Amino acid sequence: DRQFRYIKRVKKLFVAAGHPVISVDTKNKELIGNFKNQGRTWCREAEEVNVHDFLGEAEGRAVPYGIYDVVHNLGYVAVGTSADTSEFAVDAICWWWELEDRPSFLDESKLLILSDAGGSDGCRFRLWKRQLQEEVADRLGIEVMVCHYPTGASKWNPVEHRLFSYISLNWAGKPLRSFEVMLNYIQGTTTRAGLKVKAVLLDREYEKGIKVSDQEMDALNLHRRGVCPRWNYVFKPRLVAS
């Protein structure tokens, strides 16, 4: 409960100061092909799909990484075609940040990221921390704060119930026969509250098992914060000699 209250307080401070606040997570991986998709939908006749959902019969496996803009009620989904790694997660965040048509914030010198405790953006992954330092804090020149929800409490992460749940409803019962079809369903997701979603295909091979040394970790400009230093930390841009 202390961590939940800390996240609420930090989020309120960031929003009041005009800083961007995003909630991130990886949605369930989906097989792309003529396979049954869970759920129900109204249609004149039933869709003909394969009896089995074997990976060998699929066009590929989609890895949807979601970014929910808490301030503007906007969703962004980067669909990967490779592994769900920390590199992929940070690339998705950079894609969102560098979009020309994303809404601007009053003060973009700081960014708050809300995340689960596990997964590719989990609190224990060294690669996640190194990539945030190098690709976001250093390259984009912004201060990044990360707050993780406690273990087993991922359903309270806003991206789950404000973005992923509506995407699942939009494609319920509809086969995801191609990556293009999947992107169209994602971008066609809306709500009465005004949610709009953008999507992109990140067709790049991401290597698994990349190790980050103790020396690399020591070089990070990382500062622990809050009630649980394992779950709350800040990256500040490192000064790079010209």
Side-chain angles (χ1 to χ4, degrees), residues 100 171 183-184 215:
E100 293 183 357
W171 71 31
L183 292 174
N184 287 337
Q215 291 76 15

Side-chain angles (χ1 to χ4, degrees), residues 126-127 129-131 133-134 138 210-222 235 238:
R126 287 186 168 193
L127 184 60
K129 295 181 175 68
R130 190 194 73 180
Q131 292 301 107
Q133 178 71 71
E134 294 180 353
D138 292 346
I210 295 177
K211 303 295 183 182
V212 177
S213 66
D214 292 340
Q215 291 76 15
E216 289 179 289
M217 289 300 296
D218 292 339
L220 302 182
N221 194 0
L222 186 153
F235 297 96
R238 294 178 294 195

Side-chain angles (χ1 to χ4, degrees), residues 180-199:
E180 183 180 1
V181 169
M182 183 181 196
L183 292 174
N184 287 337
Y185 280 133
I186 293 172
Q187 295 182 121
T189 302
T190 58
T191 65
R192 292 181 179 178
L195 174 70
K196 294 181 181 179
V197 186
K198 288 184 177 292

Side-chain angles (χ1 to χ4, degrees), residues 45-193:
E45 55 185 44
E47 296 269 10
E48 292 188 9
V49 296
N50 297 348
V51 177
H52 303 288
D53 53 353
F54 296 133
L55 180 59
E57 299 176 0
E59 180 181 333
R61 188 190 295 273
V63 185
Y65 190 84
I67 300 165
Y68 177 68
D69 180 345
V70 175
V71 178
H72 298 105
N73 189 32
L74 295 174
Y76 303 83
V77 180
V79 178
T81 59
S82 179
D84 179 22
T85 70
S86 297
E87 272 191 308
F88 166 62
V90 174
D91 280 355
I93 293 172
C94 291
W95 161 72
W96 161 76
W97 183 267
E98 296 175 318
L99 277 173
E100 293 183 357
D101 59 347
R102 72 164 176 82
S104 59
F105 297 84
L106 183 64
D107 185 351
E108 297 191 347
S109 63
K110 296 183 180 181
L111 167 66
L112 174 61
I113 300 176
L114 307 179
S115 173
D116 296 348
S120 59
D121 47 21
C123 60
R124 290 184 291 181
F125 277 86
R126 287 186 168 193
L127 184 60
W128 161 251
K129 295 181 175 68
R130 190 194 73 180
Q131 292 301 107
L132 282 178
Q133 178 71 71
E134 294 180 353
E135 297 300 322
V136 184
D138 292 346
R139 187 172 68 83
L140 301 178
I142 59 177
E143 184 177 304
V144 183
M145 182 170 188
V146 182
C147 290
H148 292 277
Y149 285 88
T151 304
S154 62
K155 68 179 181 180
W156 280 278
N157 194 358
V159 70
E160 297 285 351
H161 52 269
R162 299 294 296 273
L163 177 61
F164 287 164
S165 60
Y166 294 109
I167 292 174
S168 296
L169 287 173
N170 195 46
W171 71 31
K174 303 169 185 175
L176 305 175
R177 293 191 169 96
S178 68
F179 284 100
E180 183 180 1
V181 169
M182 183 181 196
L183 292 174
N184 287 337
Y185 280 133
I186 293 172
Q187 295 182 121
T189 302
T190 58
T191 65
R192 292 181 179 178

